[in-house]
Amino acid sequence: MNARPAPLPDLDGCISALSVVLGKNGLYTKREDLARYETGARYGAGRAAFVMRPSSTAEVAAALKICAQHHVIVVPQGANTGLVGASTPDESGRQAILSFERAASTLKVNHINRSIEVSAGVSLSKLNDFLESYGLWFPIDLGADPTIGGMIATNTGGTRFIRYGDVRRNVLGLEVVLYDGTILNFMNEVRKDNTGLDAKQLFIGTSGQYGIVTRAVLEVHPLPQNTATALIVPSSPAGALDILLELEEQFGPQLTSFEGISKTALAAVLDGVPQLRNPFLNEQLPLYSLLVEVSTWNKGGASLAVDEALERELERAFEAGEIENAFTQDAANLWSIRHHISDSLKLKGKVIALDVSVPRDRFVEFRDEACAEVKRLADFVLIADFGHLGDGGVHFNMIWPDGVPYDAERVERLRTAVYDLVAAHGGSFSAEHGVGPFNAHYYERYVPAAKQSIQHLIEEALASRSLGNTLP
């Protein structure tokens, strides 16, 4: 039996009804107003039918109900910093964008509970600016400045995952609106609740597939009071994991970051952002570097001097031949180097960005094999990998030089070859960035059939509500 074709959207009727609910400031229909919403940070560029800008959960629910009644597919959008094309419309001109830029009014901290209620449209920087006066922060550290709703939808990780985990680990409660306008209230503030299905998890990391997050209760953490940072040169890239284990044994949960940076990635930053100080001065850049951070919440006390403890550990590692060099001065400069990598790579050519993860013990073998395979398939392509070595994540970025005619089919072969190696090592082709339209065909290729089957069962249960707002 063939499925009935989806009804055509009634755009005029939808716009007419929405104008009553959202008003002039809450609904954009003119082409000149839509352009800035239609292109993603890296991938995704389409044509929107209109843009909705609700300012409350009630307006989100009313808007989604109207869109459902008029058969209009909705694409939720936060800060539009995503990297897989999930926050932009297709090219049909029939999809609507639901922007959260006006839904950013709620910030209610519970200092004793160490939690905060926050609107989905609040940016990460605004949240942490607000929390600072309470001596707290939301420690998901990213190069971009996304909204909280977008971070929840994609379950972002960041550079301090090794200590604080991903967004999922720090979400206590959610408010969600389904695509038919139904409001679900899971706004719990408790950390322990074994009363059955933890339904909020359906809406974390699924890119708005089942519904749209409008508010959240987040666990927040004390601001670090003592922090030490070092840029370390291991004796070999293969020795990086031995250093990681040593630091974990020495510092335990005080180890907050353990990032890897390849020579090509480091060189791109120092060439592209001349105001940053080169810690190596006139020395040759190392093949691989490690950016390490150790921090404590405790205030004062000689026994809590993590900078001295880190210095002693680095001296031991140097004497043992585990490291060749280390820099512990000017932490802000070292972190600026790390956060400028992605933008700096764009200056070298067209970036072929892969966000992958493998078990930590497989990282060195995977990296060696992936570099060799890329060189075999396209020896002119630069490899500029960096990322969260402490949790097995790596941004295995390749750069197609501007002087070489771009070959999309060859790029696809490169991507697939690297992803095949990731799968062979028990890893994930999308460690942090999500699936989205750009990665949909890789989802079909690499996600186990049993997992796909479970997802489709959930989709069928919500089919009358989703209107096609689904993953593959």
Side-chain angles (χ1 to χ4, degrees):
M1 181 177 178
N2 294 327
R4 290 182 299 175
L8 290 176
D10 175 10
L11 297 178
D12 291 337
C14 191
I15 290 171
S16 178
L18 287 170
S19 64
V20 177
V21 172
L22 299 178
K24 181 178 180 181
N25 291 330
L27 181 65
Y28 287 167
T29 59
K30 295 180 180 179
R31 180 55 37 199
E32 59 268 25
D33 293 329
L34 306 185
R36 67 186 179 93
Y37 301 91
E38 295 175 324
T39 301
R42 181 176 293 163
Y43 305 112
R47 188 169 179 269
F50 51 86
V51 173
M52 299 173 287
R53 302 168 68 244
S55 60
S56 66
T57 298
E59 288 189 357
V60 171
L64 289 178
K65 183 177 181 179
I66 290 170
C67 287
Q69 292 170 340
H70 292 83
H71 310 293
V72 176
I73 291 177
V74 175
V75 179
Q77 185 179 104
N80 200 18
T81 58
L83 301 176
V84 294
S87 60
T88 52
D90 63 17
E91 297 178 351
S92 68
R94 295 177 176 178
Q95 296 183 348
I97 294 173
L98 192 150
S99 169
F100 276 85
E101 59 191 353
R102 296 177 66 226
S105 60
T106 301
L107 283 165
K108 297 179 181 178
V109 70
N110 184 332
H111 191 266
I112 295 176
N113 197 49
R114 261 205 297 112
S115 62
I116 186 168
E117 179 185 328
V118 58
S119 298
V122 172
S123 68
L124 177 61
S125 62
K126 181 180 178 180
L127 173 62
N128 278 327
D129 287 345
F130 178 81
L131 288 170
E132 186 175 6
S133 63
Y134 295 92
L136 300 168
W137 71 327
F138 189 59
I140 310 298
D141 181 59
L142 304 169
D145 188 21
T147 61
I148 299 305
M151 294 175 69
I152 293 169
T154 55
N155 188 33
T156 50
T159 60
R160 294 186 172 92
F161 184 103
I162 190 174
R163 167 62 182 88
Y164 297 101
D166 53 13
V167 167
R168 184 187 304 278
R169 197 185 301 179
N170 293 279
V171 172
L172 301 178
L174 290 180
E175 178 185 75
V176 178
V177 182
L178 302 182
Y179 285 97
D180 67 348
T182 301
I183 300 173
L184 303 179
N185 189 331
F186 308 129
M187 291 289 283
N188 295 325
E189 294 184 275
V190 297
R191 289 167 172 79
K192 300 171 72 174
D193 180 6
N194 284 336
T195 55
L197 174 68
D198 187 5
K200 71 176 182 292
Q201 300 298 338
L202 285 174
F203 306 96
I204 303 175
T206 49
S207 301
Q209 175 186 5
Y210 303 125
I212 300 177
V213 173
T214 49
R215 287 189 300 150
V217 178
L218 305 176
E219 180 175 9
V220 292
H221 301 262
L223 273 169
Q225 300 297 318
N226 298 275
T227 302
T229 303
L231 186 67
I232 301 170
V233 180
S235 297
S236 69
L241 294 177
D242 293 329
I243 296 172
L244 171 60
L245 294 178
E246 291 280 357
L247 291 174
E248 287 182 326
E249 182 177 344
Q250 176 69 23
F251 293 102
Q254 294 178 345
L255 180 63
T256 47
S257 294
F258 193 90
E259 300 284 295
I261 306 174
S262 67
K263 179 179 180 179
T264 305
L266 181 59
V269 177
L270 297 176
D271 290 344
V273 191
Q275 63 266 36
L276 293 177
R277 186 177 64 84
N278 181 357
F280 298 96
L281 298 177
N282 296 322
E283 298 178 24
Q284 184 176 3
L285 297 182
L287 291 176
Y288 204 74
S289 303
L290 304 172
L291 182 61
V292 171
E293 181 184 83
V294 179
S295 64
T296 68
W297 297 343
N298 313 75
K299 295 183 178 180
S303 63
L304 304 174
V306 292
D307 52 347
E308 296 177 8
L310 182 57
E311 289 275 8
R312 288 194 298 270
E313 176 59 23
L314 294 177
E315 289 175 6
R316 183 209 61 77
F318 184 80
E319 293 174 0
E322 298 170 2
I323 67 174
E324 295 180 352
N325 207 343
F327 304 89
T328 57
Q329 302 298 314
D330 198 358
N333 182 72
L334 297 179
W335 275 109
S336 290
I337 290 173
R338 167 62 182 83
H339 287 314
H340 278 88
I341 292 176
S342 293
D343 286 338
S344 298
L345 296 184
K346 299 174 186 177
L347 303 176
K348 297 294 182 180
K350 189 172 181 61
V351 177
I352 308 166
L354 281 65
D355 165 48
V356 303
S357 64
V358 294
R360 296 194 325 188
D361 62 306
R362 309 300 295 273
F363 171 78
V364 173
E365 186 178 356
F366 157 73
R367 183 175 185 268
D368 288 345
E369 291 177 3
C371 289
E373 185 66 3
V374 170
K375 290 302 179 186
R376 184 185 70 83
L377 293 173
D379 59 4
F380 56 88
V381 167
L382 301 176
I383 300 172
D385 61 301
F386 65 98
H388 320 304
L389 181 53
D391 58 51
V394 56
H395 300 291
F396 194 87
N397 287 355
M398 298 169 279
I399 304 173
W400 189 283
D402 288 331
V404 179
Y406 189 74
D407 185 339
E409 291 185 1
R410 198 169 186 181
V411 168
E412 183 70 12
R413 289 196 295 271
L414 285 170
R415 284 184 180 276
T416 302
V418 175
Y419 285 154
D420 282 349
L421 287 171
V422 170
H425 285 283
S428 170
F429 73 91
S430 183
E432 292 184 292
H433 294 169
V435 180
F438 185 77
N439 280 336
H441 60 300
Y442 298 124
Y443 173 93
E444 298 285 355
R445 181 181 178 94
Y446 298 110
V447 173
K451 182 176 179 179
Q452 292 190 41
S453 177
I454 291 173
Q455 177 173 296
H456 289 316
L457 288 175
I458 298 172
E459 286 177 358
E460 289 175 6
L462 296 173
S464 63
R465 307 176 187 270
S466 68
L467 288 175
N469 295 273
T470 62
L471 291 174

